[in-house]
Amino acid sequence: MDNCNNYCVIMAGGIGSRFWPLSTQDRPKQFIDILGVGKSLLQLTFDRFNKIFPAENILVVTSERYREMVLEQLPQLTSDQVLCEPLRRNTAPCVAYATHKIINRCKDANIVVAPSDHLILKEDIFLEEIRKGMEFTEKNKVLLTLGIKPSRPETGYGYIQVADNCEMDDYDNLYHVKTFTEKPDRKMAQLFMDTGEFFWNSGIFIWSVQAIHEALAKYLPDVNTIFEKGYKYYHTEDEIHFINKAYSECPNISIDYGIMEKADNVYVLCSDFGWSDLGTWGSLHENHRVDENQNAVWGNKVLLYETRNSIINMQEGKTAVVQGLDGYIVVETDNTLLICKKDDEQQIRQFVADVNLAEEKK
């Protein structure tokens, strides 16, 4: 495996609305030290991949408004390595942009595409799976994703149903993909677990640049053509002007729906490396240390009384006294206080919309 031809694309364009009010459009969750470890999720993701990819081969795709934030948090990158999207168009245009920018530089590239805001607890196992996956895609023109063995009937994740096991190149955890399924209800999620045929969809992909280029040309030809026109602009001062026009012509479509669900050369490498997509306050609660009453607490002046199974996130130095809560989220920022039931956290996006509407009416 030629390290010089290995590239990593980190997707960091989300606005993280489900982690409001800690995460805002001005500073989304990928730029926040949400785990309390001294580094943002983006920095943790970069450090993880930098162990097997040279810094110059790591690209970050983000919104134009977050360009300076990326460069501030990742001084190892040059401005050319930060691919800025002028509009939110989901993951397919993001992948197409990165693919064509890489192919413009290295036609034999092998690429990992990963979100910027995931938690990986067993990093050594994860990196070994990435290495195995890249060895496989280097030799085979396939589209590979990573699947996670489910530990509970989770309704917040997508699922991958596997077909036959592929006894290929001594990969005992490699399968053909049979189907992709979006977030199921609890009954269906339990059925998925019981069959043993379903794995969580991590949203992490590995492929050669030739394989994904061919897939884009076959399944998303319009999107592919848009970014093919940019070869004379990539890595120049005119790239930003080209991209602004390109994104205005792109549909809003995910790479899963646009390609992975349609292609016949899709495989999944199934493993367990302590993964969470940290998509909700509830998932953060599950992966944070808790006290004897199952409370996850951020802040150095928080006093709890008769409070259980709750998330309390206060700014350092702010005193909070909480009594009598069971299963609640309490988050305080400079000018916002959120108190809601953990079971109702799916309403947070609506809360954000209502707050923004109220602000507009002032």
Side-chain angles (χ1 to χ4, degrees):
M1 189 167 66
D2 187 348
N3 201 43
C4 295
N5 290 343
N6 293 333
Y7 284 76
C8 177
V9 176
I10 300 174
M11 298 181 290
I15 59 174
S17 60
R18 287 179 292 181
F19 271 102
W20 182 86
L22 193 62
S23 172
T24 65
Q25 287 195 28
D26 290 333
R27 196 173 185 85
K29 68 172 181 174
Q30 61 267 30
F31 301 107
I32 298 172
D33 177 17
I34 206 163
L35 297 172
V37 296
K39 291 188 176 183
S40 71
L41 294 175
L42 173 62
Q43 290 171 318
L44 291 173
T45 301
F46 176 86
D47 289 350
R48 184 181 306 127
F49 283 113
N50 195 203
K51 292 179 180 178
I52 55 176
F53 293 89
E56 61 269 22
N57 285 12
I58 299 178
L59 308 179
V60 175
V61 186
T62 190
S63 167
E64 174 63 40
R65 69 189 298 182
Y66 306 138
R67 175 197 291 270
E68 295 307 316
M69 209 175 300
V70 171
L71 290 170
E72 176 186 337
Q73 293 201 357
L74 302 179
Q76 304 93 328
L77 301 185
T78 66
S79 182
D80 188 55
Q81 291 170 259
V82 183
L83 282 57
C84 294
E85 299 178 298
L87 302 167
R88 297 184 69 207
R89 287 293 185 263
N90 216 313
T91 53
C94 164
V95 168
Y97 180 13
T99 296
H100 285 290
K101 184 153 181 173
I102 291 171
I103 205 172
N104 191 241
R105 174 178 289 175
C106 179
K107 292 180 171 56
D108 297 316
N110 209 12
I111 306 171
V112 172
V113 179
S116 61
D117 51 6
H118 287 185
L119 175 68
I120 306 293
L121 294 175
K122 304 173 185 177
E123 193 169 278
D124 290 346
I125 297 175
F126 172 74
L127 294 178
E128 182 57 34
E129 293 300 307
I130 292 292
R131 289 188 186 94
K132 286 170 58 178
M134 296 195 76
E135 288 173 358
F136 180 61
T137 58
E138 187 178 45
K139 300 172 185 175
N140 303 276
K141 195 172 286 187
V142 300
L143 307 176
L144 180 65
T145 186
L146 298 188
I148 314 298
K149 184 177 181 180
S151 58
R152 61 186 183 278
E154 174 61 54
T155 59
Y157 296 157
Y159 285 74
I160 300 170
Q161 184 182 19
V162 300
D164 52 306
N165 181 267
C166 303
E167 295 183 3
M168 187 184 306
D169 298 333
D170 298 322
Y171 293 98
D172 57 0
N173 58 338
L174 180 69
Y175 298 84
H176 285 288
V177 170
K178 188 173 183 180
T179 62
F180 286 88
T181 303
E182 279 305 303
K183 301 169 183 177
D185 59 29
R186 187 169 183 83
K187 183 178 179 181
M188 187 61 69
Q190 185 62 60
L191 179 63
F192 286 174
M193 277 197 70
D194 293 343
T195 66
E197 296 180 4
F198 289 81
F199 293 79
W200 289 337
N201 184 355
S202 71
I204 300 170
F205 308 103
I206 309 175
W207 42 51
S208 68
V209 74
Q210 294 97 335
I212 188 60
H213 188 200
E214 287 185 11
L216 285 164
K218 183 175 182 179
Y219 300 106
L220 292 173
D222 292 343
V223 172
N224 184 63
T225 298
I226 288 171
F227 289 97
E228 275 188 338
K229 294 176 181 178
Y231 284 178
K232 64 181 178 181
Y233 303 113
Y234 296 135
H235 312 291
T236 75
E237 293 181 355
D238 293 324
E239 180 175 336
I240 187 171
H241 305 295
F242 167 75
I243 289 300
N244 287 343
K245 182 176 185 298
Y247 267 76
S248 70
E249 300 171 357
C250 281
N252 188 325
I253 187 169
S254 72
I255 198 70
D256 282 322
Y257 181 76
I259 290 180
M260 302 299 281
E261 294 180 13
K262 299 178 174 65
D264 57 7
N265 61 335
V266 181
Y267 292 77
V268 58
L269 199 61
C270 298
S271 186
D272 178 11
F273 37 78
W275 172 89
S276 171
D277 78 343
L278 291 182
T280 63
W281 282 108
S283 64
L284 184 60
H285 180 265
E286 292 168 0
N287 291 285
H288 194 272
R289 63 183 180 277
V290 295
D291 63 18
E292 64 275 10
N293 293 312
Q294 300 302 302
N295 297 305
V297 179
W298 289 258
N300 58 355
K301 292 187 177 181
V302 178
L303 299 177
L304 303 182
Y305 300 90
E306 301 155 24
T307 294
R308 300 180 51 80
N309 194 34
S310 294
I311 298 167
I312 314 294
N313 190 304
M314 306 296 294
Q315 291 186 333
E316 291 297 317
K318 181 66 68 72
T319 299
V321 179
V322 180
Q323 186 267 336
L325 295 186
D326 188 351
Y328 270 77
I329 300 169
V330 180
V331 184
E332 183 264 355
T333 60
D334 287 337
N335 57 0
T336 306
L337 173 65
L338 168 71
I339 303 173
C340 79
K341 293 180 180 179
K342 278 178 61 184
D343 289 345
D344 294 336
E345 72 166 314
Q346 68 274 10
Q347 296 186 48
I348 289 179
R349 281 181 169 172
Q350 185 59 50
F351 299 159
V352 176
D354 293 343
V355 168
N356 291 338
L357 183 61
E359 290 292 330
E360 291 174 3
K361 290 180 177 180
K362 287 184 178 179

